[in-house]
Amino acid sequence: MREQTRLVTGLIALMVTDPTPEGKSGRMTRAERAVVEGAILAAYAAAGIDPEAPETWNVTSQDVPTLPDVLARLEETAGPTARGLAERLRPFCTGTLAGLFSGRTTLRIGARLTNFDLEGLDGELRPLAVWLIGDYTWKLAKRDRRRRILSL
């Protein structure tokens, strides 16, 4: 669960930070990272999932919090850091990008061949898609050690 919290924090960092003048992705401050991790853990707690209690980890995908759940926890958190993060995350949950990031995945794991086509994505969304595909691929490789071919 802690690994998943770190991974979601990384995704949110990509969503809420602006690129540097050189075009590289920006970074969250340590304070922002702490607030985001707190919101993620609070979303898990609201779903009855406790990082200290492994017996609560065996849940269905329908029980796991989604990005709007994390946004709700950010909005409940006092302070300018949480407000700023919530403001920058909101478009991915309720705005024009909500259809991509506000729900559960429709990816069916177990197919012999899985293809990800990024051609139709604009430049703003492409780093997020690559991050999500990398996360999915890494989890699959750790869970099932069969040899595979990854083509980019």
Side-chain angles (χ1 to χ4, degrees), residues 1-133:
M1 190 176 138
R2 292 186 197 286
E3 179 183 352
Q4 187 61 27
T5 298
R6 283 192 304 274
L7 292 171
V8 174
T9 300
L11 175 63
I12 291 174
L14 283 174
M15 292 174 160
V16 302
T17 55
D18 292 325
T20 65
E22 300 83 33
K24 297 179 181 177
S25 63
R27 296 181 55 94
M28 281 197 306
T29 65
R30 287 186 177 119
E32 289 174 325
R33 180 170 289 279
V35 170
V36 167
E37 286 181 1
I40 294 166
L41 292 171
Y44 275 116
I49 305 169
D50 182 348
E52 303 301 326
E55 64 273 9
T56 66
W57 301 351
N58 192 17
V59 295
T60 68
S61 62
Q62 296 304 311
D63 298 323
V64 176
T66 60
L67 204 53
D69 298 318
V70 175
L71 175 62
R73 299 301 168 246
L74 280 173
E75 291 174 336
E76 293 171 357
T77 305
T81 301
R83 271 195 309 278
L85 287 164
E87 181 180 296
R88 292 178 297 186
L89 185 61
R90 194 170 295 112
F92 296 96
C93 299
T94 63
T96 57
L97 302 173
L100 293 172
F101 299 103
S102 64
R104 303 191 190 290
T105 185
T106 56
L107 179 66
R108 297 292 166 235
I109 298 173
R112 283 188 50 81
L113 176 67
T114 303
N115 180 45
F116 299 99
D117 183 6
L118 306 182
E119 185 177 339
L121 290 179
D122 64 28
E124 179 185 5
L125 297 178
R126 193 162 285 142
L128 300 173
V130 170
W131 188 95
L132 288 168
I133 292 166

